[in-house]
Amino acid sequence: MLIKILRQYQVHVVAGGGGAPTSFLYKTFRNSSSSSSSVKKMTVREALNSALDEEMSADRRVLLMGEEVGEYQGAYKVSKGLLQKHGPERVVDTPITEAGFTGIGIGAAYYGLRPVVEFMTFNFAMQAMDHIINSAAKTNYMSAANISVPIVFRGPNGAAAGVGAQHSQCYAAWYGSVPGLKVLAPYSSEDARGLLKAAIRDPGPVVFLENELLYGEAFPVSDEVVDSSFCIPIGKAKIEKQGKHVTITSFSKMVGFSLKAAEILAEDGIDAEVINLRSIRPLDRSTINGSVRKTNRLVTVEEGFPQHGVGAEICASIVEDSFDYLDAPVERIGGADVPMPYAANLERMALPQVEDIVRAAKRLI
Amino acid sequence: MVFRRFESARAGEAEEAVTYSTSDDDDEIYDAENKAIDFPGGRVAFTPQIKFISESPDKRIPCYRVLDDDGYPIAGSTYEQVDKETAVKMYKSMVTLQIMDTIFYEAQRQGRISFYLTSMGEEAINIATAAALSFDDIILPQYREPGILLWRGFTLQEFANQCFGTKDDYGKGRQMPIHYGSKQHNFFTISSPIATQLPQAAGVAYSLKMDNKEACVVAFTGDGGTSEGDFHAGMNFAAVMEAPVLFICRNNGWAISTPVSEQFRSDGVVVKGQAYGIRSIRVDGNDTLAVYSAIRAAREMVIREQKPVLVEALTYRVGHHSTSDDSTKYRPLDEIEHWKTARSPLARFRKWVQRNGWWNDEGETELRGSIRKQLLNAIQVAEKTEKPSLEDLFTDVYDNLPLNLHEQEKSLRETIKRHQKDFPSDVPV
């Protein structure tokens, strides 16, 4: 079973723009040394929590709604402290009906509020799919901009550990195919903070796909990231590691796996370029194509089912725009084409592992 | 040996004697010292008799009515007075709605528009509700409520523009006919999936409540819509959140071909209100004065008490579900005819208005002729008007045009230039 190790790091908070954070969210970090050794680290959970807190403090129209977000402090503690700080009108514990509370959030967005709707997992969001697509994604277009929908749908996506088929599906490809939506998939704490803030500030509906296993993972963050005005533009991928022999595209948890694969490949003299997509829709075709034109080889990595997946779209994009630059066919790494099994050994076989990425890259060289 | 029963100290305090009253003879035998106890959700009295609540009450919930079938006020009826100006405006609007429906329906039959859906038989619900509300009340319609827009000043030309999808359509030709919407008229754009507007209404009301305005949200649905999960969520949430929503159910007996007997087994929709803790009323939807009074009263409650109210308006869907339906296939012709003539809301209200000396036959002929002419003219104008230009294919998907759509538009324009003859001449580029 999953053992969550919550690494508590003291975080230095720059008090800019937003309201003062409550004391049990942060401890002030005092660093006497002025040299380069002070490394600030922040978990993805803290990144999301702080982003929500700052955006709610900065704009009274932003509210959080979902199951267990208030009194329970969040099913995964992402909304810890927010009810106490912002009150029950801004942090709304909803009854159990994804379809219902999604509809309500969208209605509130229709009339000027900026809701953040939390799904306990995007697997449950399937019950709200009609509202997400027909009431949110298409509405600005269908109403000829009479009705805008500034709403964020967020929650864990993809596999956790040992939660079985109905709790493990990745929905990046599903939402990524719908015009009218923006779909984001953060990996690091910097991604989580910057992209969530961008999502909340965006005037249209945004699907924000988090990952349960990443919540507890800590990443180094710069001063810029910690500042309350920090924001990452939507639609730009990040090259996490430069390389020249093969391009590896990935998002969310798979970015970490791809970086580990790149380390292993380096031992064999293969210099991989790892791209963190950050944005599934719009897809940063220009960065991906630019990279493949440099390396001439591509491995796409995702947790989700391979058919009609994100990798398939990336492959099509390369074939359309950079066909002549390919020295080898595109390799697609995805989850096994089966509903996720529960047994730990079977689950491991059903998800991409670092070795799979390494082998795929080697096949291309 | 003293045997002590385990008792919760708090529960012991909570016990109190409750008088047990019932109409059943058997229960009089029971000792009046009854007990009540706390459970999550509140205090509830005990009963030692096993007794099920009947699935249907002895009598159906009665229907509020003011005018009889001949348009005479029923003796002893309480209703809100309507002055001459309002009454005449209401009647004229009902006639306009009826003629608009007739002519646009014919236009679809002639192939001039692709689709239409009438509100025939429900003109009283449409117009009396509109008259009873204020302009600031926000409407989330299902799709059989264009009368609200009509009352609020939407012109026949504006209706035609949407049905024909011209460049003057406020919807930029994006939606099929009858999917009207107008921000300035506080009428949310119609969306096809059934009942999705009900939880949305709770959300809109949640936001509106923060404005502290003398206004409420009004959400419509039909009898069929009450089967959707969204009906449950919308009603339940509105009650829990104390959202100022007026839910109006147009129970017209039919959901396409499904009669209400196959839709639910409850006493209609009005009884569902109490299940959610929502005050409710059943009204004769073909009685203009009754609908007017009921909506006025309900609206007042919603705004003053800031909680939802449910109004079930009983009526009959005289027309087919839409132009894609032929209802003679599943219901008898004489039933349709009966409701069209003997139970017509227009005829009934007209009698009352005319008896007051506020309307006459000449006015009727003149009005009908004039509306018909205006509509035919509106259709002619719409047919001659340009369609929305090509850029409207791509705008409003997002707030700004994203790169990929820029590229696609550019590519499309280049294709059109290369193959001019393949491109329709009546679409501006």
Side-chain angles (χ1 to χ4, degrees):
Chain A
M1 286 306 284
L2 177 71
I3 303 166
K4 286 194 188 118
I5 303 166
L6 216 97
R7 285 172 284 179
Q8 300 284 354
Y9 283 90
Q10 294 179 317
V11 178
H12 181 219
V13 177
V14 174
T22 48
S23 58
F24 58 82
L25 285 174
Y26 295 104
K27 293 189 191 123
T28 318
F29 178 76
R30 292 200 176 284
N31 182 24
S32 50
S33 160
S34 56
S35 67
S36 57
S37 57
S38 62
V39 173
K40 295 155 211 131
K41 278 198 158 196
M42 185 190 276
T43 63
V44 171
R45 181 182 286 107
E46 287 162 346
L48 295 169
N49 182 287
S50 59
L52 279 168
D53 184 25
E54 286 159 24
E55 294 303 302
M56 287 175 77
S57 301
D59 186 344
R60 282 208 52 81
R61 298 168 300 174
V62 178
L63 72 149
L64 176 65
M65 46 193 301
E67 294 152 4
E68 312 300 328
V69 296
E71 294 288 351
Y72 194 74
Q73 309 294 305
Y76 299 100
K77 304 293 180 268
V78 172
S79 54
K80 183 171 174 189
L82 295 181
L83 172 65
Q84 282 69 23
K85 180 172 174 192
H86 297 280
E89 253 194 20
R90 310 273 308 281
V91 181
V92 181
D93 273 326
T94 61
I96 307 176
T97 161
E98 278 71 12
F101 67 70
T102 304
I104 288 177
I106 291 171
Y110 283 175
Y111 200 70
L113 294 184
R114 303 184 78 95
V116 176
V117 175
E118 174 172 314
F119 295 115
M120 207 175 278
T121 141
F122 269 95
N123 290 269
F124 302 161
M126 284 202 285
Q127 295 185 299
M129 194 62 90
D130 176 64
H131 274 298
I132 296 172
I133 309 298
N134 282 329
S135 299
K138 300 178 184 172
T139 294
N140 197 57
Y141 187 78
M142 281 181 4
S143 73
N146 265 301
I147 305 174
S148 70
V149 199
I151 194 167
V152 176
F153 304 108
R154 51 161 291 273
N157 175 58
V163 289
Q166 292 173 338
H167 295 76
S168 304
Q169 191 167 336
C170 173
Y171 293 89
W174 283 33
Y175 292 116
S177 69
V178 179
L181 287 180
K182 295 190 180 85
V183 183
L184 304 176
Y187 161 61
S188 62
S189 299
E190 174 182 326
D191 290 354
R193 259 184 72 79
L195 291 176
L196 184 55
K197 279 166 170 288
I200 292 172
R201 295 177 197 176
D202 192 277
V206 180
V207 172
F208 194 82
L209 305 171
E210 302 162 3
N211 184 288
E212 192 202 315
L213 298 178
L214 286 176
Y215 283 150
E217 206 166 306
F219 293 85
V221 286
S222 66
D223 285 343
E224 190 203 346
V225 171
V226 164
D227 186 86
S228 64
S229 63
F230 179 65
C231 204
I232 292 179
I234 291 177
K236 285 294 301 162
K238 182 184 180 197
I239 298 177
E240 297 279 350
K241 175 194 173 295
Q242 302 261 7
K244 50 184 190 285
H245 296 143
V246 60
T247 300
I248 303 175
T249 64
S250 53
F251 60 94
S252 188
K253 190 156 183 302
M254 291 293 119
V255 175
F257 280 30
S258 302
L259 287 169
K260 291 206 186 80
E263 277 173 28
I264 296 173
L265 288 165
E267 291 163 16
D268 284 328
I270 299 172
D271 188 17
E273 177 150 294
V274 176
I275 299 181
N276 171 5
L277 292 175
R278 282 181 163 177
S279 178
I280 307 292
R281 174 180 263 271
L283 197 60
D284 190 352
R285 290 170 68 127
S286 118
T287 298
I288 301 168
N289 275 281
S291 170
V292 174
R293 288 180 179 211
K294 184 174 67 170
T295 65
N296 312 119
R297 288 168 174 80
L298 175 61
V299 177
T300 71
V301 183
E302 68 198 288
E303 257 188 18
F305 301 129
Q307 188 169 343
H308 309 301
V310 175
E313 174 62 29
I314 294 174
C315 181
S317 165
I318 296 299
V319 164
E320 284 165 12
D321 294 343
S322 307
F323 183 67
D324 293 330
Y325 292 81
L326 283 172
D327 285 349
V330 175
E331 281 272 351
R332 262 192 311 180
I333 301 292
D337 204 21
V338 300
M340 182 68 70
Y342 164 74
N345 62 324
L346 296 179
E347 186 182 47
R348 196 183 184 286
M349 298 297 296
L351 285 169
Q353 303 299 332
V354 175
E355 307 81 61
D356 296 314
I357 306 171
V358 171
R359 279 196 295 267
K362 284 187 172 169
R363 282 197 290 272
L364 295 179
I365 304 290
Chain B
M1 191 145 148
V2 174
F3 178 80
R4 259 219 286 179
R5 243 179 64 211
F6 283 93
E7 288 179 328
S8 146
R10 281 190 67 204
E13 284 160 31
E15 286 181 347
E16 59 181 25
V18 172
T19 41
Y20 184 67
S21 62
T22 171
S23 57
D24 233 332
D25 285 324
D26 291 335
D27 297 317
E28 282 173 9
I29 299 166
Y30 175 65
D31 187 339
E33 190 195 277
N34 194 7
K35 308 231 186 290
I37 202 155
D38 288 315
F39 272 112
R43 169 155 304 162
V44 66
F46 278 141
T47 166
Q49 305 294 331
I50 182 166
K51 197 174 180 180
F52 285 79
I53 303 172
S54 173
E55 67 270 24
S56 55
D58 294 335
K59 289 206 185 77
R60 294 192 60 184
I61 302 291
C63 184
Y64 171 57
R65 182 184 238 218
V66 170
L67 296 176
D68 66 17
D69 281 332
D70 283 316
Y72 286 103
I74 296 167
S77 61
T78 47
Y79 62 97
E80 187 149 337
Q81 285 301 331
V82 174
D83 65 16
K84 174 182 176 180
E85 192 188 332
T86 312
V88 170
K89 184 179 177 193
M90 279 164 67
Y91 180 69
K92 283 167 85 165
S93 301
M94 286 164 74
V95 172
T96 306
L97 178 56
Q98 188 187 61
I99 297 176
M100 179 175 95
D101 274 350
T102 311
I103 294 194
F104 280 136
Y105 188 90
E106 280 171 20
Q108 193 277 346
R109 281 306 187 232
Q110 292 167 15
R112 296 159 94 164
I113 53 177
S114 66
F115 174 84
Y116 194 73
L117 188 154
T118 70
S119 307
M120 286 176 173
E122 303 182 48
E123 294 89 351
I125 295 176
N126 266 257
I127 301 301
T129 299
L133 298 172
S134 93
F135 197 90
D136 291 334
D137 296 322
I138 299 156
I139 311 292
L140 273 87
Q142 178 63 73
Y143 45 55
R144 234 180 273 280
E145 303 91 14
I148 316 262
L149 263 180
L150 191 66
W151 179 268
R152 289 183 173 186
F154 212 63
T155 66
L156 298 174
Q157 188 66 63
E158 287 169 324
F159 280 111
N161 295 341
Q162 197 283 331
C163 288
F164 283 82
T166 70
K167 71 163 173 43
D168 295 329
D169 169 27
Y170 300 137
K172 295 183 188 167
R174 302 247 173 85
Q175 291 228 60
M176 44 191 289
I178 72 97
H179 287 67
Y180 315 110
S182 174
K183 201 162 175 176
Q184 69 191 96
H185 295 93
N186 286 322
F187 190 90
F188 268 70
T189 308
I190 290 173
S191 156
S192 304
I194 301 290
T196 51
Q197 67 278 8
L198 300 177
Q200 288 166 11
V204 173
Y206 189 77
S207 181
L208 179 69
K209 196 167 167 167
M210 296 176 184
D211 284 354
N212 259 314
K213 262 167 98 174
E214 267 282 306
C216 66
V217 177
V218 184
F220 286 86
T221 183
D223 40 285
T226 67
S227 293
E228 282 278 358
D230 273 344
F231 172 78
H232 168 75
M235 292 272 283
N236 191 37
F237 269 87
V240 168
M241 297 190 320
E242 295 176 11
V245 186
L246 173 52
F247 290 103
I248 301 178
C249 175
R250 292 176 295 95
N251 183 347
N252 63 20
W254 294 93
I256 310 189
S257 68
T258 306
V260 286
S261 58
E262 286 172 26
Q263 195 69 249
F264 37 63
R265 287 295 158 91
S266 54
D267 171 17
V269 175
V270 66
V271 291
K272 296 178 202 258
Q274 193 173 63
Y276 296 104
I278 293 179
R279 198 173 304 155
S280 38
I281 188 169
R282 165 174 280 162
V283 65
D284 178 351
N286 287 9
D287 182 338
T288 309
L289 291 182
V291 174
Y292 183 82
S293 296
I295 300 294
R296 291 278 285 188
R299 177 183 179 273
E300 173 72 27
M301 282 175 202
V302 169
I303 293 177
R304 196 171 13 97
E305 298 177 52
Q306 289 290 295
K307 57 206 279 203
V309 170
L310 169 68
V311 175
E312 178 188 25
L314 295 181
T315 180
Y316 187 87
R317 192 197 76 208
V318 167
H320 307 305
H321 165 70
S322 72
T323 49
S324 309
D325 173 48
D326 176 9
S327 62
T328 61
K329 289 201 158 63
Y330 51 79
R331 53 185 191 175
L333 278 164
D334 53 2
E335 177 185 299
I336 305 173
E337 201 51 36
H338 169 73
W339 283 92
K340 191 168 176 184
T341 50
R343 309 289 293 271
S344 159
L346 276 87
R348 194 160 151 207
F349 189 52
R350 180 181 171 183
K351 288 181 182 142
W352 182 80
V353 176
Q354 280 200 207
R355 257 179 236 124
N356 284 339
W358 297 341
W359 193 248
N360 54 42
D361 292 348
E362 292 79 41
E364 180 83 14
T365 321
E366 202 242 295
L367 176 70
R368 287 187 176 262
S370 158
I371 299 293
R372 204 182 152 76
K373 218 157 114 196
Q374 285 176 54
L375 275 158
L376 292 174
N377 184 58
I379 290 178
Q380 273 186 19
V381 169
E383 278 182 327
K384 291 204 189 82
T385 309
E386 275 186 338
K387 298 288 184 232
S389 70
L390 191 63
E391 68 182 349
D392 283 334
L393 178 61
F394 299 102
T395 52
D396 303 325
V397 181
Y398 300 98
D399 59 313
N400 290 317
L401 209 62
L403 191 61
N404 66 321
L405 290 183
H406 255 302
E407 288 171 6
Q408 288 179 26
E409 188 181 344
K410 195 157 149 273
S411 162
L412 178 57
R413 286 182 191 279
E414 281 162 13
T415 308
I416 291 169
K417 267 210 199 78
R418 280 200 303 275
H419 306 277
Q420 275 273 283
K421 57 176 172 49
D422 293 336
F423 189 71
S425 57
D426 67 339
V427 181
V429 181

Coordinates of all heavy atoms in Angstrom, one line a residue, chain A residues 3-52:
Chain A
I3 N 2.7 4.4 1.1 CA 3.1 5.1 2.3 C 3.5 6.5 1.9 O 4.4 6.7 1.2 CB 4.3 4.4 3.0 CG1 4.0 2.9 3.2 CG2 4.7 5.1 4.2 CD1 5.2 2.1 3.5
K4 N 2.7 7.4 2.5 CA 3.0 8.8 2.1 C 4.0 9.4 3.1 O 3.8 9.4 4.3 CB 1.7 9.7 2.2 CG 0.8 9.4 1.1 CD -0.3 10.5 1.0 CE -1.3 10.1 0.0 NZ -2.6 9.9 0.4
I5 N 5.1 9.9 2.6 CA 6.1 10.5 3.5 C 6.0 12.0 3.3 O 6.4 12.5 2.2 CB 7.5 10.0 3.3 CG1 7.5 8.4 3.4 CG2 8.5 10.6 4.2 CD1 8.8 7.8 2.9
L6 N 5.4 12.7 4.2 CA 5.3 14.1 4.0 C 6.5 14.8 4.6 O 6.8 14.8 5.8 CB 4.0 14.6 4.8 CG 3.3 15.7 4.1 CD1 2.1 15.0 3.4 CD2 2.8 16.7 5.1
R7 N 7.3 15.3 3.6 CA 8.5 15.9 4.1 C 8.2 17.4 4.4 O 7.8 18.1 3.5 CB 9.6 15.8 3.0 CG 10.2 14.4 3.0 CD 11.1 14.2 1.8 NE 10.4 14.0 0.6 CZ 10.9 13.8 -0.6 NH1 12.2 13.8 -0.7 NH2 10.2 13.7 -1.6
Q8 N 8.3 17.7 5.6 CA 8.0 19.1 6.0 C 9.2 20.0 5.9 O 10.2 19.7 6.5 CB 7.5 19.2 7.5 CG 6.3 18.3 7.8 CD 5.1 19.0 7.3 OE1 5.1 20.1 6.8 NE2 3.9 18.3 7.3
Y9 N 9.2 20.9 5.0 CA 10.3 21.8 4.8 C 9.8 23.2 5.2 O 8.7 23.6 4.9 CB 10.8 21.8 3.4 CG 11.6 20.6 3.0 CD1 11.0 19.5 2.5 CD2 13.0 20.6 3.2 CE1 11.8 18.4 2.2 CE2 13.7 19.5 2.9 CZ 13.1 18.4 2.4 OH 13.9 17.3 2.1
Q10 N 10.7 23.9 5.8 CA 10.3 25.3 6.2 C 10.4 26.1 4.9 O 11.3 26.0 4.1 CB 11.3 25.8 7.2 CG 11.1 25.1 8.5 CD 12.0 25.6 9.6 OE1 13.2 25.8 9.3 NE2 11.5 25.8 10.8
V11 N 9.4 26.9 4.7 CA 9.3 27.6 3.4 C 9.4 29.1 3.7 O 8.7 29.6 4.6 CB 8.0 27.3 2.7 CG1 7.9 28.1 1.4 CG2 8.0 25.8 2.4
H12 N 10.3 29.8 3.0 CA 10.3 31.3 3.2 C 9.3 31.9 2.3 O 9.3 31.7 1.1 CB 11.7 31.7 2.8 CG 11.9 33.2 2.9 ND1 12.6 33.9 2.0 CD2 11.5 34.0 3.9 CE1 12.6 35.2 2.4 NE2 12.0 35.3 3.5
V13 N 8.4 32.7 2.9 CA 7.3 33.3 2.1 C 7.6 34.8 2.0 O 7.8 35.5 2.9 CB 6.0 33.1 2.8 CG1 4.9 33.8 2.1 CG2 5.7 31.6 3.0
V14 N 7.5 35.2 0.7 CA 7.6 36.6 0.5 C 6.2 37.2 0.6 O 5.3 36.8 -0.2 CB 8.2 36.9 -0.9 CG1 8.2 38.4 -1.3 CG2 9.6 36.3 -1.0
A15 N 6.0 38.2 1.4 CA 4.6 38.7 1.6 C 4.4 39.8 0.5 O 4.6 40.9 0.7 CB 4.5 39.3 3.0
G16 N 3.9 39.3 -0.6 CA 3.6 40.3 -1.7 C 2.1 40.1 -2.1 O 1.7 39.0 -2.3
G17 N 1.4 41.1 -2.3 CA 0.1 41.0 -2.9 C -1.0 40.3 -2.0 O -1.9 41.0 -1.6
G18 N -0.9 39.1 -1.8 CA -1.9 38.3 -1.1 C -2.0 38.6 0.4 O -1.1 39.2 0.9
G19 N -2.9 38.0 1.0 CA -3.1 38.2 2.5 C -2.0 37.4 3.3 O -1.3 36.6 2.7
A20 N -1.9 37.7 4.5 CA -0.9 37.0 5.3 C -1.3 35.5 5.5 O -2.4 35.3 5.9 CB -0.8 37.7 6.7
P21 N -0.5 34.6 5.2 CA -0.8 33.2 5.4 C -1.0 32.9 6.9 O -0.4 33.5 7.7 CB 0.3 32.4 4.8 CG 1.2 33.4 4.2 CD 0.8 34.8 4.8
T22 N -1.9 31.9 7.2 CA -2.0 31.5 8.6 C -0.8 30.8 9.1 O -0.1 30.2 8.4 CB -3.3 30.7 8.8 OG1 -3.2 29.6 7.9 CG2 -4.5 31.5 8.6
S23 N -0.6 30.9 10.5 CA 0.6 30.4 11.0 C 0.8 28.9 10.8 O 2.0 28.4 10.7 CB 0.7 30.7 12.5 OG -0.4 30.1 13.1
F24 N -0.2 28.1 10.8 CA 0.1 26.7 10.7 C 0.3 26.2 9.3 O 0.5 25.1 9.0 CB -1.0 25.8 11.4 CG -2.4 26.0 11.0 CD1 -2.9 25.3 9.8 CD2 -3.3 26.8 11.7 CE1 -4.2 25.5 9.4 CE2 -4.6 27.0 11.3 CZ -5.0 26.3 10.1
L25 N 0.2 27.2 8.3 CA 0.5 26.8 6.9 C 2.0 26.9 6.7 O 2.7 26.2 6.0 CB -0.2 27.7 6.0 CG -1.7 27.5 5.7 CD1 -2.2 28.6 4.8 CD2 -1.9 26.1 5.1
Y26 N 2.6 27.9 7.3 CA 4.0 28.2 7.0 C 4.8 28.6 8.2 O 4.2 29.1 9.2 CB 4.1 29.4 6.0 CG 3.6 29.1 4.7 CD1 2.3 29.7 4.4 CD2 4.2 28.3 3.8 CE1 1.8 29.4 3.1 CE2 3.6 28.0 2.6 CZ 2.4 28.6 2.3 OH 1.8 28.3 1.1
K27 N 6.1 28.3 8.2 CA 7.0 28.9 9.2 C 7.9 29.8 8.5 O 8.5 29.4 7.4 CB 7.7 27.7 9.9 CG 6.8 26.8 10.7 CD 7.6 25.9 11.5 CE 6.7 24.8 12.1 NZ 7.1 23.4 11.8
T28 N 8.2 30.9 9.0 CA 9.2 31.8 8.4 C 10.6 31.2 8.5 O 11.0 30.7 9.5 CB 9.2 33.2 9.1 OG1 7.9 33.5 9.3 CG2 9.9 34.2 8.2
F29 N 11.2 31.2 7.4 CA 12.6 30.6 7.3 C 13.6 31.7 7.3 O 13.6 32.6 6.5 CB 12.7 29.8 6.0 CG 14.0 29.1 5.8 CD1 14.3 28.0 6.5 CD2 14.9 29.6 4.9 CE1 15.6 27.4 6.3 CE2 16.1 29.0 4.7 CZ 16.5 27.9 5.4
R30 N 14.4 31.7 8.3 CA 15.5 32.7 8.4 C 16.8 32.1 8.0 O 17.3 31.1 8.6 CB 15.6 33.2 9.8 CG 14.3 34.0 10.2 CD 14.6 34.9 11.4 NE 13.4 35.7 11.7 CZ 13.1 36.8 10.9 NH1 13.8 37.1 9.9 NH2 12.0 37.5 11.2
N31 N 17.4 32.7 7.0 CA 18.7 32.2 6.6 C 19.8 33.2 6.9 O 19.7 34.3 6.3 CB 18.7 31.8 5.1 CG 20.0 31.2 4.7 OD1 20.7 30.7 5.5 ND2 20.2 31.3 3.4
S32 N 20.7 32.9 7.8 CA 21.7 33.9 8.1 C 22.7 34.1 7.0 O 23.2 35.1 6.8 CB 22.4 33.5 9.4 OG 22.8 32.2 9.4
S33 N 23.0 33.0 6.3 CA 24.0 33.0 5.3 C 23.5 33.7 4.0 O 22.4 33.5 3.6 CB 24.5 31.6 5.0 OG 25.1 31.5 3.8
S34 N 24.3 34.5 3.5 CA 23.9 35.2 2.2 C 24.5 34.5 1.0 O 24.3 34.9 -0.1 CB 24.4 36.7 2.2 OG 25.8 36.6 2.4
S35 N 25.2 33.4 1.2 CA 25.7 32.7 0.1 C 24.7 31.8 -0.6 O 23.5 31.8 -0.2 CB 26.9 31.8 0.5 OG 26.4 30.7 1.3
S36 N 25.1 31.1 -1.6 CA 24.1 30.4 -2.5 C 23.6 29.1 -1.9 O 22.8 28.4 -2.5 CB 24.8 30.0 -3.8 OG 25.9 29.2 -3.5
S37 N 23.9 28.8 -0.6 CA 23.5 27.4 -0.1 C 22.1 27.3 0.4 O 21.6 26.3 0.7 CB 24.5 27.1 1.0 OG 24.4 28.1 2.0
S38 N 21.3 28.4 0.4 CA 20.0 28.3 0.9 C 19.0 27.7 -0.2 O 18.8 28.4 -1.1 CB 19.4 29.6 1.4 OG 19.4 30.6 0.4
V39 N 18.7 26.5 0.0 CA 17.8 25.9 -1.0 C 16.4 25.8 -0.4 O 16.1 25.1 0.6 CB 18.3 24.4 -1.3 CG1 17.3 23.7 -2.2 CG2 19.6 24.5 -2.0
K40 N 15.4 26.5 -1.0 CA 14.0 26.4 -0.6 C 13.4 25.3 -1.2 O 13.5 25.1 -2.4 CB 13.3 27.7 -0.9 CG 13.9 28.9 -0.2 CD 13.6 30.2 -1.0 CE 14.7 31.2 -0.8 NZ 15.2 31.8 -2.0
K41 N 12.7 24.5 -0.5 CA 11.9 23.4 -1.1 C 10.5 23.5 -0.7 O 10.1 24.0 0.4 CB 12.5 22.0 -0.6 CG 13.8 21.6 -1.3 CD 14.0 20.1 -1.1 CE 14.9 19.6 -2.2 NZ 14.9 18.1 -2.3
M42 N 9.6 23.0 -1.6 CA 8.2 23.1 -1.3 C 7.6 21.8 -1.9 O 7.9 21.4 -3.0 CB 7.7 24.3 -2.1 CG 6.2 24.6 -1.8 SD 5.6 25.9 -2.9 CE 6.1 27.4 -2.0
T43 N 6.7 21.2 -1.2 CA 6.0 20.1 -1.8 C 4.9 20.6 -2.7 O 4.5 21.7 -2.7 CB 5.3 19.2 -0.7 OG1 4.3 20.0 -0.1 CG2 6.3 18.7 0.4
V44 N 4.5 19.7 -3.6 CA 3.4 20.0 -4.6 C 2.1 20.4 -3.8 O 1.4 21.4 -4.2 CB 3.1 18.8 -5.5 CG1 1.9 19.1 -6.4 CG2 4.3 18.6 -6.4
R45 N 1.9 19.7 -2.7 CA 0.7 20.0 -1.9 C 0.8 21.4 -1.4 O -0.2 22.2 -1.4 CB 0.6 19.0 -0.7 CG -0.6 19.3 0.2 CD -0.6 18.3 1.4 NE -1.0 17.0 0.9 CZ -0.2 15.9 0.8 NH1 1.1 16.0 1.1 NH2 -0.6 14.7 0.5
E46 N 1.9 21.8 -0.8 CA 2.1 23.2 -0.3 C 2.0 24.2 -1.5 O 1.4 25.3 -1.3 CB 3.5 23.3 0.3 CG 3.6 22.6 1.7 CD 5.0 22.4 2.1 OE1 5.9 22.6 1.3 OE2 5.2 22.1 3.3
A47 N 2.5 23.8 -2.6 CA 2.4 24.7 -3.8 C 1.0 25.0 -4.2 O 0.6 26.1 -4.4 CB 3.2 24.1 -5.0
L48 N 0.2 23.9 -4.2 CA -1.2 24.1 -4.6 C -2.0 24.9 -3.5 O -2.8 25.8 -3.8 CB -1.9 22.7 -4.8 CG -1.3 21.9 -5.9 CD1 -1.9 20.5 -5.9 CD2 -1.7 22.5 -7.3
N49 N -1.7 24.5 -2.3 CA -2.4 25.2 -1.1 C -2.1 26.7 -1.2 O -3.0 27.5 -1.0 CB -2.0 24.5 0.2 CG -2.6 25.2 1.4 OD1 -2.3 26.3 1.8 ND2 -3.6 24.4 1.9
S50 N -0.8 27.0 -1.3 CA -0.4 28.4 -1.3 C -1.0 29.2 -2.5 O -1.4 30.3 -2.4 CB 1.1 28.6 -1.2 OG 1.7 28.0 -2.4
A51 N -1.0 28.5 -3.7 CA -1.6 29.2 -4.8 C -3.0 29.5 -4.6 O -3.5 30.6 -4.9 CB -1.4 28.3 -6.1
L52 N -3.8 28.5 -4.1 CA -5.2 28.7 -3.9 C -5.4 29.8 -2.9 O -6.2 30.7 -3.1 CB -5.8 27.4 -3.3 CG -6.2 26.3 -4.2 CD1 -6.5 25.0 -3.5 CD2 -7.4 26.7 -5.1

